[in-house]
C-alpha cells in the first residue's frame, strides 16, 4: 500500500515537473538569445544615429568615433554605396550573432558578437532549470514519503483490526489517525466489535444452557438404556445396546458441536483416511435406506486423505444422507474425488432435486421446502467450515451436495501412525 501511494505521488510530481520544466527551459534558452540580440540591436541603432548625423551634414563618417559602442570582442561593419566597407574588430568566422540596420544613402550598419558567451549563458540557465527540477522532485519525494507513511500506517492498522475482529478479538481500540474517512472506519469497527462481542456472549450463554440441558437428558437416557440391556429378552437387549451406542455417539457429537461453537477454525483437525472412514459413516444409513427400497453406494478412488475432524465429518455427511433419504428418491451415492490440494465428497440421489426458488437459500437457517426445520444443512455447512472446508450445492437437479476438504500437508502427516492395511500411499 505504501509503495503504491508513493509511486502514484511521485508519478504525478514527475509528470507535472516535466510538463512545466521542459517549456520553462526552452523559454529560458530563447530568452537569453533574445536579450543578446536586443542589446546588439540597440547598439546598432545608436551607431546608426551617429553615422546618420555625419551623412546628413555632408561629413565623411568616421567609424572610429563609434568604436566605444561596439561590444567587447564584437565587430562593426559599415557599408555605403560606392565606397569600400569599413570595419572595426576581429573577424568572427561563422559562429556569431549579428544584427543590422539601414542608414541614410542606402547604407548598412552590421554589428556582430561571438556566439560562445551566449551559448555559455544558455548552458548555465539550462543547468539552473535542471537544478530547480531536481530540487522540486527531491522535495516532492520527501513529501510523498511522509504522505505515504501517514496514509499507509493507518490503513495497515485498520486492516489488522479487521483481521483481529474476524479472529474473535473484540477489544475496542481508541486509536485515531487524524484522517476523517479512516476515523469513521475505526469508529465503525469499534461499533461492530461491541455488537459482535454481545452476540457471541449471548450465543455462548445459550450454548452453555443447551449443553447442560441436553447432557442431563442424555445421561438419564443412557442410564435407562443400560437398565434395559439387563432384560432377559435377547432381542430387546440387543435393541437397547444399539440404542445405547447411538446415545453415546450422540454425546460425542454434542461435544463436537459445543467445541465448534467455541472455535472459529478447528485446531484438532487431523488427516482422515476417507477410504476407511466413509464406509463406517455410511454403515448406519444403509439399513434405513434399504427399508425404503433404496440403495447406498460408496465410491472411493484410491486412498485419499483429507484434513478434518472425524466426528464433524460424520455428522455433516449424516445430515446430507438424511436429507437425501427424506427429500430424495432412488439410490444414494457417496463419491470421493481428490486433487493435489482438495478432496471432494459428493452426495447425490435420483430425486427431483432442489426447487429453483430454494437454490440460493438452501443453506440458510430455517429454509425448507417440505416443512422440516431447515437447520440440518446450515449445521452441516458450519461443521465443514469449522474444519477449514466448504459445503456447496453443486447440482440442483438431481441434488448433488459436495464437501470440499483440504489435503493434509506433509507436516500434518508427521507423527501419524497408520495401520499397515490402511497406510496411505
Amino acid at each position: 500500500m505504501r509503495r503504491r501511494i508513493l509511486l502514484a505521488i511521485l508519478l504525478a510530481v514527475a509528470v507535472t515537473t516535466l510538463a512545466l520544466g521542459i517549456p520553462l527551459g526552452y523559454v529560458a534558452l530563447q530568452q537569453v538569445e533574445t536579450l543578446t540580440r536586443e542589446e546588439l540591436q540597440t547598439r546598432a541603432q545608436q551607431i546608426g544615429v551617429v553615422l546618420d548625423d555625419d551623412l546628413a551634414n555632408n561629413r565623411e563618417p568616421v567609424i572610429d568615433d563609434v568604436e566605444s559602442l561596439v561590444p567587447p570582442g564584437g565587430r562593426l561593419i559599415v557599408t555605403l554605396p560606392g565606397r569600400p566597407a569599413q570595419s572595426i574588430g576581429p573577424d568572427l568566422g561563422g559562429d556569431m550573432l549579428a544584427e543590422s540596420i539601414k542608414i541614410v544613402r542606402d547604407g548598412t550598419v552590421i554589428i556582430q558578437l561571438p556566439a560562445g558567451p551566449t551559448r555559455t549563458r544558455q548552458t548555465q540557465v539550462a543547468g539552473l532549470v535542471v537544478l530547480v527540477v531536481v530540487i522540486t522532485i527531491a522535495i516532492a519525494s520527501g513529501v510523498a514519503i511522509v504522505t505515504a507513511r501517514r496514509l499507509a500506517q493507518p490503513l495497515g492498522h485498520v486492516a489488522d483490526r479487521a483481521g483481529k475482529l474476524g479472529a474473535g478479538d473484540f477489544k475496542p481500540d481508541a486509536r485515531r489517525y487524524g484522517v476523517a474517512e479512516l476515523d469513521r472506519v475505526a469508529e465503525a469497527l469499534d461499533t461492530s466489535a461491541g455488537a459482535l462481542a454481545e452476540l457471541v456472549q449471548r450465543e455462548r450463554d445459550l450454548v452453555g444452557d443447551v449443553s447442560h440441558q441436553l447432557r442431563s437428558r442424555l445421561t438419564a437416557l443412557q442410564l435407562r438404556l443400560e437398565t434395559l440391556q439387563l432384560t432377559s429378552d435377547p432381542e430387546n437387549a440387543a435393541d437397547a445396546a444399539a440404542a445405547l451406542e447411538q446415545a453415546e455417539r450422540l454425546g460425542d457429537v454434542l461435544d463436537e458441536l459445543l467445541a465448534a461453537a467455541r472455535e472459529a477454525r478447528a485446531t484438532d483437525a487431523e488427516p482422515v483416511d476417507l477410504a476407511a472412514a466413509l464406509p463406517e459413516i455410511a454403515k448406519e444409513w444403509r439399513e434405513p435406506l434399504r427399508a425404503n427400497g433404496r440403495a447406498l453406494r460408496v465410491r472411493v478412488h484410491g486412498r485419499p486423505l483429507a484434513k478434518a475432524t472425524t466426528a464433524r465429518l460424520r455428522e455433516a455427511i449424516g445430515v446430507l444422507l438424511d436429507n437425501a433419504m427424506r427429500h430424495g428418491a432412488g439410490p444414494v451415492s457417496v463419491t470421493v474425488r481428490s486433487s493435489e490440494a482438495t478432496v471432494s465428497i459428493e452426495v447425490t440421489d435420483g430425486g427431483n432435486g432442489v426447487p429453483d426458488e430454494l437454490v440460493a437459500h438452501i443453506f440458510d437457517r430455517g429454509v425448507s421446502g417440505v416443512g422440516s426445520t431447515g437447520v440440518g444443512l446450515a449445521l452441516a455447512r458450519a461443521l465443514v467450515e469449522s474444519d477449514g472446508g466448504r459445503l456447496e450445492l453443486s447440482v440442483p437437479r438431481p441434488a448433488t451436495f459436495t464437501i470440499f476438504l483440504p489435503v493434509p500437508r506433509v507436516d500434518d502427516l508427521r507423527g501419524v501412525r497408520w495401520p499397515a492395511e490402511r497406510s496411505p500411499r
Side-chain angles (χ1 to χ4, degrees):
M1 175 62 72
R2 180 184 302 178
R3 183 181 179 184
R4 289 196 295 269
I5 295 174
L6 180 60
L7 290 178
I9 296 176
L10 289 179
L11 179 60
V13 170
V15 171
T16 304
T17 303
L18 292 177
L20 295 177
I22 293 176
L24 177 61
Y26 177 78
V27 170
L29 295 179
Q30 294 299 316
Q31 187 66 20
V32 170
E33 184 172 341
T34 299
L35 292 176
T36 302
R37 290 187 177 277
E38 287 178 353
E39 182 183 358
L40 291 178
Q41 188 73 19
T42 300
R43 289 178 179 271
Q45 289 174 353
Q46 292 174 347
I47 294 173
V49 169
V50 175
L51 297 180
D52 282 343
D53 184 64
D54 289 340
L55 293 172
N57 292 308
N58 297 318
R59 294 194 299 267
E60 184 70 21
V62 180
I63 63 174
D64 293 339
D65 295 339
V66 294
E67 184 176 3
S68 61
L69 296 175
V70 179
R75 180 179 175 84
L76 173 64
I77 302 174
V78 178
T79 60
L80 291 171
R83 300 182 184 182
Q86 303 179 64
S87 63
I88 298 177
D91 186 4
L92 301 180
D95 189 15
M96 63 180 177
L97 300 175
E99 291 293 330
S100 64
I101 64 169
K102 295 292 186 179
I103 58 177
V104 297
R105 299 181 184 180
D106 294 329
T108 303
V109 174
I110 301 173
I111 188 167
Q112 301 173 341
L113 191 67
T118 302
R119 302 289 182 252
T120 300
R121 286 197 296 273
Q122 288 180 322
T123 302
Q124 293 173 346
V125 170
L128 181 60
V129 171
V130 171
L131 179 62
V132 170
V133 170
V134 171
I135 292 176
T136 302
I137 293 178
I139 294 174
S141 299
V143 174
I145 292 173
V146 173
T147 304
R149 184 182 295 114
R150 186 170 182 266
L151 292 177
Q153 287 181 345
L155 288 173
H157 187 253
V158 169
D160 291 340
R161 286 197 61 200
K164 292 179 180 178
L165 189 62
D169 184 359
F170 304 130
K171 296 190 297 294
D173 192 334
R175 180 176 176 181
R176 295 297 180 266
Y177 318 105
V179 180
E181 292 78 6
L182 292 177
D183 288 344
R184 286 200 295 270
V185 173
E187 291 171 1
L189 287 176
D190 281 345
T191 302
S192 300
L196 288 174
E198 294 178 0
L199 177 61
V200 169
Q201 186 60 44
R202 287 197 299 269
E203 289 186 351
R204 286 175 178 172
D205 294 341
L206 178 61
V207 167
D209 295 340
V210 171
S211 171
H212 182 270
Q213 295 297 325
L214 289 178
R215 179 59 67 186
S216 299
R217 301 297 186 272
L218 188 59
T219 300
L221 177 61
Q222 289 174 326
L223 292 175
R224 180 62 177 167
L225 291 173
E226 289 175 355
T227 302
L228 290 176
Q229 276 187 295
L230 303 178
T231 182
S232 58
D233 188 342
E235 184 176 352
N236 290 337
D239 291 341
L244 181 60
E245 181 182 355
Q246 291 292 332
E248 291 175 349
R249 184 172 296 168
L250 178 60
D252 295 337
V253 170
L254 177 59
D255 293 337
E256 291 293 336
L257 292 177
L258 294 176
R262 298 188 186 100
E263 299 177 16
R265 300 294 264 179
T267 57
D268 53 350
E270 58 185 17
V272 175
D273 182 5
L274 296 180
L278 285 183
E280 291 294 327
I281 295 174
K283 182 186 298 183
E284 63 181 286
W285 292 95
R286 291 188 184 279
E287 188 60 35
L289 285 167
R290 187 180 294 114
N292 292 327
R294 301 169 64 186
L296 174 60
R297 304 187 182 97
V298 178
R299 300 185 181 92
V300 182
H301 304 284
R303 304 303 294 262
L305 298 179
K307 188 174 182 181
T309 305
T310 303
R312 291 174 184 165
L313 182 61
R314 177 189 296 274
E315 184 66 17
I317 294 178
V319 169
L320 298 180
L321 292 175
D322 181 69
N323 189 70
M325 184 175 66
R326 291 173 180 269
H327 310 308
V332 180
S333 299
V334 180
T335 307
V336 179
R337 295 183 175 87
S338 61
S339 63
E340 293 183 359
T342 306
V343 175
S344 62
I345 305 173
E346 294 181 354
V347 178
T348 184
D349 63 77
N352 295 326
V354 180
D356 293 338
E357 62 272 13
L358 294 181
V359 169
H361 308 285
I362 191 66
F363 293 103
D364 293 349
R365 191 175 295 272
V367 174
S368 175
V370 288
S372 61
T373 61
V375 175
L377 289 176
L379 175 62
R381 170 173 273 189
L383 291 172
V384 172
E385 289 179 349
S386 68
D387 278 338
R390 70 181 194 277
L391 171 61
E392 303 289 346
L393 174 63
S394 302
V395 181
R397 285 182 293 275
T400 301
F401 292 89
T402 305
I403 297 175
F404 297 94
L405 294 172
V407 172
R409 296 174 299 180
V410 176
D411 294 342
D412 298 326
L413 299 175
R414 292 175 181 171
V416 178
R417 295 185 178 180
W418 302 90
E421 67 275 10
R422 295 184 182 179
S423 178
R425 289 175 289 182

